[in-house]
Amino acid sequence: MKTQRRYQEIAARISRYIAENGLQPGDRLPGEIDLAKVCGVSRPTIREAMVALEIAGELEIRSGSGAYVRKNVNPMSLVLDSGPGPFELLRARILIEGEIAADAALYASAADLERVELALREMRELVAGKINAQANDRAFHVAIGEAAKNSVLASIVDGLWAGMFSPMYHRLSQRARMEGYQAEALRDHEDIFAAIQARNPNDARKAMRRHLQNVEQHLAESDVPLSEELDAVDASV
């Protein structure tokens, strides 16, 4: 039997709470902190569950206001599996890509460094023009994977990036206004490349992990603070 993802489990519990408490379309849900405390999970997990319910059409998340019931909910309905959650993907990337960057610093050829630098140069131009550079961002990370001289690792990086284009990641990125993070991300990429180019595996590992932890932090700081002034949610959630 397929194991349910954590965000699916929490989304299903929130969905049951809506039905069992007779919330109607337009009613507001309790705040994010309240839900996290009652469910015994982190706020990022609550955020992923909310995004999953928003994509499923059960909730509407209004900027600066909170989460509202969008339609009548069948408590027995299943929350569709949208793949690994964004934070699950990022934790995997932090663990894996730090080591890949360290290996790239040791094994990258001159041609490998040129490919990484090309992706970085194109990213600079797009960021300067305030154009979405996500595709170049992916190319940069995949090029580093290839520079580590391990086709399995390069394939893993590309596969992890495929998840970064999922509907859940896209919606969460909108919530966190990630388009405004591009300049900071570019600086992180500059540090990663500098360490790899200097053949310093320790600095390359640290720079990559720091970059991905910064992404994780930005996603966790959504621009939609769900109201924290509502009464604590019932323990039946």
Side-chain angles (χ1 to χ4, degrees), residues 10-45:
I10 300 305
R13 290 172 70 182
I14 294 171
S15 183
R16 286 196 302 272
Y17 170 83
I18 291 171
E20 291 169 1
N21 287 272
L23 297 186
Q24 299 299 311
D27 287 346
R28 185 167 59 175
L29 266 68
E32 191 176 272
I33 288 178
D34 290 334
L35 289 171
K37 286 179 179 177
V38 172
C39 293
V41 297
S42 65
R43 292 180 69 183
T45 300

Side-chain angles (χ1 to χ4, degrees), residues 44-170:
T45 300
I46 291 293
R47 190 162 296 134
E48 286 181 333
M50 291 293 201
V51 169
L53 290 169
E54 183 184 25
I55 292 172
E58 296 185 12
L59 294 181
E60 177 187 358
I61 299 179
R62 302 175 188 171
S63 180
S65 179
Y68 295 78
V69 178
R70 187 173 177 182
K71 66 174 185 178
N72 292 323
V73 178
N74 177 0
M76 301 303 293
S77 67
L78 296 177
V79 177
L80 295 178
D81 186 354
S82 297
F87 293 103
E88 185 179 0
L89 282 169
L90 280 167
R91 293 311 299 167
R93 290 186 63 196
I94 289 168
L95 292 172
I96 294 168
E97 290 195 55
E99 297 309 312
I100 289 174
D103 271 6
L106 293 173
Y107 304 123
S109 65
D112 292 328
L113 292 175
E114 287 179 7
R115 281 191 291 273
V116 177
E117 188 171 25
L118 174 62
L120 184 58
R121 185 164 62 247
E122 291 175 344
M123 200 183 310
R124 287 191 200 108
E125 294 173 357
L126 291 173
V127 172
K130 300 189 183 304
I131 300 170
N132 189 302
Q134 190 176 38
N136 295 85
D137 194 343
R138 180 178 188 169
F140 176 84
H141 285 271
V142 172
I144 291 174
E146 293 170 345
K149 299 304 182 187
N150 187 313
S151 61
V152 175
L153 293 177
S155 178
I156 288 173
V157 172
D158 197 41
L160 288 171
W161 258 95
M164 308 302 279
F165 288 86
S166 70
M168 276 190 66
Y169 189 88
H170 176 70

